[in-house]
Amino acid sequence: MWTDLESSAVIRSPRAARRDRVGGKAAALARLSDAGFPVPAWVVVTPEAFDASVTGQWHDDVGLEPTIEDELGDALREIAGAVPTFAVRSSAVDEDSREHSFAGQLESYLFVPIADVPRRIVDVWRSAFTERVLAYRRERDLLAPPSVPGVLVQQMVDADVSGVAFSADPVTGDRDTVVVGSLYGLGTALVSGDAEADTHHVDRRGHVVGRRVVAKTTAHRASSRCAEGVEAVDVEPERVHRPALRDEQITAVADLARRAEDFFGCPQDIEWAIASGQLFLLQSRPITSLGRVVEPVGALAIWDNSNIVESYAGITTPLTFTFARNAYQGVYGQLCRIFAVPAKRVEANRGALAGMLGLIRGRIYYNLLNWYRLLAMLPGYQMNRAFLEQMIGVKEGASDGLAEDDEPVPWTARLLDGVHVIRCVAGMTFSFLALPVRAKRFHRRVDEVLSSPNGGLSALRADELAAEYRRVEDRLITHWDAPQINDFFAMIFYGVLRRLCARWCGDTDGTLQNGLLSGSGGMVSTEPAERVKEMAAIARRHPDLANALGDPEAGHSLEVVARHPEFRDRYESYLQKFGDRCADELKLESRTLREDPLMLLRSIGCLARSGDAEEPGEPADSAARREAEQRVRATLAARPVRRSVLRWVLSETRRLVRGRENMRLQRTRVFGRVRAIFVELGRRLHDLRLLDDPRDVFYLEMEEILGFVDGTSVSTNLAEVASARKKEFARFAEMEPPADRFETRGPVNHGNTFRSPSDPGEVRGDERTGVGCCPGKVSGRVRVVRDPRTATLCPGEILVAERTDPSWVMLFPLAKGLLVERGSLLSHSAIVAREMGIPAIVSVAGVTRWLEDGDWVELDGTSGRLRRVNPSEES
């Protein structure tokens, strides 16, 4: 009778076969046999038997302790079949795990007579300490010393056919395909690599979808039995080239592999055998290689950071990402409702709205296919798609079939869709006409919600701060109507203007619209630059102030500023309006100018000391704009209707682009308030000893923080969560950043490399081409700026950057020209450069790697061409 005694050195009960006691292989087979899988009868000799049997040094005649050997003999006689031979195999604790299979490292013995089983058990123990096993452990950083394995003894299956099967393809990672390998006789020759086997691929429906049949020997098993001294069947080996399995047997093996996967909850690598028509499961372990393989048929995602890198460059903390993700979902969902997109269609695309952004190794990316799905809900999809790609700056759109539903649509659905299109067009038309009113209401609403200064937050309790955030969210973030409508129509009108310039005015290089949009005036984005010039002009008249503004410590500079009332008043007025502007201003973890004004002070001081600061005056009309307008008048002189249409489109484009930039300041203010709220919440949580540092709040998700306050958080150990995330994000910072654009399959963070198949590699040559966004030709020395907070830009230098955001405008008064690696025609740097008349080129691939400080270049902001020259070539 079998025993359940936990103290026994010989285990025969599945309930007693714990992994920590009998090892991975035996524990898995015990569970499978208990669940009704066709596992050959078994017993396990535990490591306790070793402790009782080997009391000193190893020697050749070591054997099992007599009482244990007697107990083992009883158990073996109970499970012995018609031919009493056994398979004796290792079962170590760390063997057959998800990470390490130890395949072939420890010894196994087949067709072992009952009398020889104790000797073979000792041989398996001995094999755990061989140099081969020790080297395997070192290669995989398994630092713990090897332990004595359990030993699995099973009834030997005298197989007619055997082999292996993988419930997922271990090479391609395809989870929908089972791979079955088979050969005649025992599968040991296949596992060891001594013989080839047939290979079959079976899909989820049980159909054999691929097969490879090889020549093989029909009598592998006879030689195996002879090796153990058991009388062998006299079978003459025969070389054949026919399948070892019939199709119904192939599907039965595939089904067994899938059942094992379902049982263990992960893809399995099984060994199987068929004897006298009965299928047996000999072993099941996780497929360890899948941790490095992408699912080839998994869902496709295309990731592109395009101009979002202007707002979220580099590592972005969990708080910022979750806030931005929720804001995008709410804002674009609201836009669909404003444009009268049917509620059912919006609901059907809820997943796309929730997944517009992704976080890859701590960096924010657009999930492009979800953006296309969003745009496909609006009428005029094909035209809008091209405009969208221009607006977000993607260099390569998705293939047509990826973003569209290619299934045929019945006529009734098309008719209903036509009604929806009419509703959407009507909604969009109304929204466009009502935009000026909406914009005024939006500005008024922002002013009302943010009427109390950020300083008042310091007196609020944690629950009051959470309520304040909810108020800002309810009144502003979820009612972001005017900016979204304005941005949408800015995209549309800019695209229309560009097309009209090309078709009606012969603008083959696509640059005329940039000249028409230059120097429009009324744009708040240029105001910081004008104010910097104004303060620099004042500082220039006071040498002590000009010198102090260059001090590396802001504290000393501010002491001198306090002694100059005229400058101080303008400085404080600047912070009052633009104090939330800073490098990476949309990252909540960024320190604002109010917290760290050094960047502003240095920019003013550098301009003041250069002698180029000018007294403010009325801005002159842009020469580029006048030239572009004259070209349009001359070209369309005989086409009054076209001239009127283009004039109206141009007027609306100017209004929308101006509105886009002015509303960005409101966005900065709202983000500034949100930042201040969470900074204060971090202080409260730190005061309560719930966080190790107040700024650890940025390593929590937004709902984790708010949920902790209102009782809906699933985790209350905030310090531990934040600490773990800080370590993970520190690792992200040390890793190679993902490519600017790449594709993933299946689970995004499993197996995908995040690399682009077309890596640009080394940047060579003396010429480059980007997107010209402000007319003008200039040449000069370049300054490559990585961080505007520490930059020293001399007047007359050409500013080179990977990307810019609104904070960079403080450097623009010093720049003779602008070269940006990222961005689009509607990105902030392009718009502000046009408004200030600074010749500029954006989207210059690899420009920050191609150029170095001190290089001389010649750039043409009209054509987008750029050439590296020698200083002597400058005319």
Side-chain angles (χ1 to χ4, degrees):
M1 182 176 178
W2 287 12
T3 177
D4 288 337
L5 292 177
E6 292 289 336
S7 60
S8 175
V10 180
I11 290 179
R12 291 173 279 181
S13 166
R15 290 188 294 275
R18 301 193 316 268
R19 183 186 182 93
D20 62 347
R21 193 167 181 213
V22 303
K25 186 181 300 177
L29 288 176
R31 290 181 60 194
L32 288 165
S33 63
D34 195 39
F37 282 79
V39 176
W42 58 273
V43 297
V44 183
V45 178
T46 68
E48 286 93 326
F50 174 89
D51 297 333
S53 303
V54 183
T55 57
Q57 296 293 321
W58 280 103
H59 48 83
D60 292 341
D61 58 350
V62 166
L64 287 180
E65 193 273 335
T67 59
I68 295 175
E69 185 169 345
D70 290 343
E71 184 182 357
L72 174 64
D74 292 341
L76 294 179
R77 281 185 288 274
E78 225 176 288
I79 67 171
V83 179
T85 59
F86 300 90
V88 181
R89 300 189 290 169
S90 63
S91 181
V93 170
D94 44 9
E95 190 176 5
D96 286 356
S97 66
R98 287 175 180 261
E99 295 80 20
H100 309 290
S101 68
F102 279 83
Q105 299 304 309
L106 282 74
E107 295 295 341
S108 295
Y109 301 93
L110 306 179
F111 291 103
V112 180
I114 192 169
D116 289 344
V117 169
R119 175 170 62 88
R120 289 307 189 191
I121 289 173
V122 174
D123 289 340
V124 171
W125 284 340
R126 197 187 306 272
S127 71
F129 301 94
T130 62
E131 180 55 35
R132 178 176 64 189
V133 173
L134 295 176
Y136 180 93
R137 299 182 70 89
R138 285 194 299 269
E139 289 170 2
R140 288 155 179 79
D141 293 326
L142 297 172
L143 303 180
S147 58
V148 175
V151 181
L152 175 67
V153 183
Q154 281 182 285
Q155 185 184 76
M156 187 67 209
V157 176
D158 189 8
D160 299 312
V161 184
S162 59
V164 298
F166 300 91
S167 66
D169 192 321
V171 177
T172 68
D174 185 355
R175 266 62 165 181
D176 292 335
T177 300
V178 176
V179 181
V180 177
S182 60
L183 76 172
Y184 293 108
L186 297 179
T188 51
L190 171 59
V191 174
S192 65
D194 294 335
E196 279 197 286
D198 299 339
T199 304
H200 309 277
H201 292 80
V202 184
D203 66 15
R204 283 192 179 275
R205 297 171 296 176
H207 297 158
V208 180
V209 295
R211 69 178 82 235
R212 176 176 175 267
V213 178
V214 299
K216 49 198 171 292
T217 304
T218 61
H220 286 302
R221 62 187 178 129
S223 60
S224 299
R225 277 185 264 165
C226 291
E228 292 298 339
V230 177
E231 183 179 354
V233 178
D234 187 13
V235 179
E236 197 64 38
E238 180 185 359
R239 194 75 173 166
V240 298
H241 197 287
R242 63 173 181 263
L245 293 175
R246 301 187 303 276
D247 278 8
E248 62 268 24
Q249 292 175 314
I250 295 170
T251 56
V253 173
D255 181 65
L256 181 63
R258 289 200 191 280
R259 286 171 53 206
E261 175 180 315
D262 292 341
F263 181 77
F264 286 112
C266 66
Q268 294 290 297
D269 164 7
I270 70 169
E271 294 180 20
W272 57 271
I274 296 177
S276 302
Q278 183 178 357
L279 175 62
F280 292 93
L281 177 58
L282 307 180
Q283 180 172 318
S284 185
R285 61 191 177 198
I287 304 175
T288 56
S289 64
L290 289 182
R292 302 180 296 275
V293 181
V294 176
E295 294 186 26
V297 295
L300 170 69
I302 302 176
W303 304 94
D304 194 307
N305 62 7
S306 298
N307 71 349
I308 199 172
V309 77
E310 288 191 9
S311 303
Y312 301 104
I315 298 295
T316 300
T317 63
L319 176 57
T320 292
F321 171 69
T322 51
F323 170 71
R325 182 190 60 197
N326 291 354
Y328 269 72
Q329 179 180 1
V331 164
Y332 283 93
Q334 182 191 22
L335 183 66
C336 291
R337 291 190 293 274
I338 291 171
F339 286 171
V341 176
K344 288 185 178 180
R345 184 172 293 183
V346 176
E347 178 63 23
N349 285 277
R350 184 172 55 178
L353 285 166
M356 298 173 72
L357 300 181
L359 193 68
I360 311 296
R361 289 184 184 167
R363 295 164 173 86
I364 293 185
Y365 283 79
Y366 289 135
N367 186 332
L368 277 190
L369 294 188
N370 283 340
W371 280 84
Y372 288 127
R373 292 181 184 110
L374 169 66
L375 193 65
M377 291 191 283
L378 303 176
Y381 166 69
Q382 287 298 341
M383 181 179 69
N384 294 342
R385 174 177 166 179
F387 292 164
L388 170 75
E389 289 168 354
Q390 287 180 20
M391 183 181 73
I392 64 177
V394 296
K395 298 180 177 65
E396 176 187 353
S399 300
D400 289 341
L402 294 177
E404 300 174 44
D405 186 356
D406 293 329
E407 295 184 4
V409 180
W411 71 269
T412 52
R414 289 198 299 270
L415 179 62
L416 184 61
D417 190 60
V419 174
H420 292 158
V421 167
I422 293 172
R423 288 183 56 198
C424 286
V425 170
M428 293 168 65
T429 303
F430 175 79
S431 297
F432 175 73
L433 296 175
L435 179 56
V437 176
R438 283 183 184 270
K440 290 179 181 178
R441 290 176 180 171
F442 172 77
H443 286 292
R444 187 163 58 247
R445 191 165 62 246
V446 172
D447 291 340
E448 289 174 358
V449 174
L450 304 184
S451 58
S452 60
N454 288 350
L457 299 174
S458 60
L460 300 182
R461 301 187 309 270
D463 58 311
E464 291 174 321
L465 288 167
E468 173 65 10
Y469 170 76
R470 296 296 189 194
R471 186 178 76 92
V472 173
E473 181 181 57
D474 292 342
R475 293 287 310 280
L476 295 177
I477 298 172
T478 59
H479 290 82
W480 207 254
D481 52 351
Q484 286 306 105
I485 296 170
N486 191 96
D487 278 6
F488 179 82
F489 283 108
M491 171 186 74
I492 298 296
F493 271 83
Y494 185 88
V496 171
L497 176 64
R498 189 175 186 182
R499 288 190 179 186
L500 294 182
C501 288
R503 292 181 180 180
W504 292 356
C505 301
D507 182 36
T508 56
D509 56 4
T511 60
L512 178 59
Q513 77 281 351
N514 293 330
L516 292 171
L517 293 175
S518 298
S520 300
M523 195 174 293
V524 74
S525 296
T526 62
E527 188 177 334
E530 295 303 319
R531 290 198 181 201
V532 166
K533 289 181 180 179
E534 179 184 341
M535 288 186 281
I538 295 173
R540 185 183 177 194
R541 300 197 296 267
H542 304 279
D544 63 323
L545 178 57
N547 292 330
L549 292 174
D551 196 286
E553 296 294 331
H556 176 257
S557 300
L558 293 176
E559 289 178 4
V560 179
V561 166
R563 298 200 295 265
H564 295 271
E566 183 185 9
F567 183 91
R568 181 194 62 211
D569 292 345
R570 285 169 173 75
Y571 170 75
E572 292 177 353
S573 175
Y574 184 100
L575 291 184
Q576 180 68 28
K577 187 169 185 177
F578 300 107
D580 290 315
R581 284 253 151 114
C582 58
D584 298 319
E585 66 179 37
L586 298 190
K587 289 185 176 183
L588 302 181
E589 61 270 22
S590 298
R591 298 183 186 274
T592 67
L593 287 177
R594 291 191 179 94
E595 298 173 276
D596 182 9
L598 188 59
M599 178 181 172
L600 172 61
L601 296 172
R602 292 183 62 175
S603 297
I604 299 169
C606 185
L607 188 59
R609 292 190 301 276
S610 71
D612 290 344
E614 300 174 358
E615 297 291 341
E618 290 297 321
D621 289 336
S622 167
R625 175 180 174 178
R626 290 197 304 273
E627 181 181 338
E629 289 173 343
Q630 289 170 1
R631 177 179 171 184
V632 170
R633 283 195 294 270
T635 304
L636 300 181
R639 300 290 187 107
V641 175
R642 288 188 177 185
R643 190 169 64 249
S644 298
V645 171
L646 193 144
R647 184 185 299 118
W648 177 76
V649 171
L650 174 59
S651 174
E652 292 303 308
T653 306
R654 286 172 175 169
R655 177 176 67 87
L656 292 164
V657 170
R658 182 168 57 248
R660 173 183 168 91
E661 284 301 302
N662 292 347
M663 290 184 196
R664 278 189 171 186
L665 178 61
Q666 300 290 43
R667 182 186 65 180
T668 300
R669 294 178 62 202
V670 173
F671 272 60
R673 176 57 58 90
V674 172
R675 175 187 295 110
I677 290 171
F678 282 105
V679 166
E680 288 296 333
L681 275 167
R683 290 171 181 156
R684 301 297 178 280
L685 295 173
H686 176 254
D687 292 342
L688 296 171
R689 299 184 180 180
L690 297 168
L691 288 178
D692 297 331
D693 185 277
R695 291 186 65 82
D696 284 354
V697 73
F698 297 115
Y699 290 93
L700 299 173
E701 294 186 1
M702 184 179 70
E703 288 303 329
E704 286 175 338
I705 301 166
L706 300 175
F708 182 87
V709 175
D710 61 28
T712 59
S713 176
V714 298
S715 177
T716 57
N717 193 341
L718 300 183
E720 189 171 316
V721 172
S723 177
R725 293 236 180 92
K726 284 177 71 174
K727 293 176 182 177
E728 183 176 22
F729 275 64
R731 288 195 299 272
F732 289 153
E734 295 173 357
M735 298 170 70
E736 181 183 3
D740 297 335
R741 181 191 176 98
F742 55 89
E743 296 180 359
T744 60
R745 286 278 185 181
V748 174
N749 290 296
H750 173 82
N752 290 291
T753 63
F754 310 137
R755 303 310 308 159
S756 170
S758 56
D759 192 329
E762 186 178 354
V763 182
R764 297 179 179 178
D766 288 328
E767 294 188 1
R768 287 288 177 276
T769 302
V771 177
C773 56
C774 182
K777 293 182 180 180
V778 294
S779 60
R781 182 185 294 108
V782 307
R783 175 76 64 179
V784 180
V785 176
R786 311 285 181 184
D787 185 346
R789 289 164 291 202
T790 58
T792 301
L793 185 68
C794 297
E797 289 184 325
I798 293 175
L799 173 60
V800 180
E802 180 185 1
R803 50 93 196 180
T804 66
D805 63 25
S807 68
W808 288 65
V809 74
M810 287 181 282
L811 299 177
F812 283 14
L814 299 163
K816 189 177 184 180
L818 181 63
L819 298 172
V820 186
E821 190 166 314
R822 314 300 295 276
S824 67
L825 289 166
L826 286 180
S827 63
H828 178 79
S829 54
I831 292 173
V832 175
R834 279 196 296 267
E835 189 65 16
M836 296 181 65
I838 302 174
I841 306 175
V842 299
S843 195
V844 185
V847 69
T848 55
R849 290 180 290 134
W850 178 54
L851 295 175
E852 298 178 353
D853 286 349
D855 285 347
W856 280 70
V857 297
E858 182 179 87
L859 71 90
D860 184 344
T862 301
S863 65
R865 295 187 183 91
L866 168 66
R867 187 167 66 97
R868 184 164 49 193
V869 299
N870 293 322
S872 57
E873 294 181 37
E874 186 189 14
S875 56

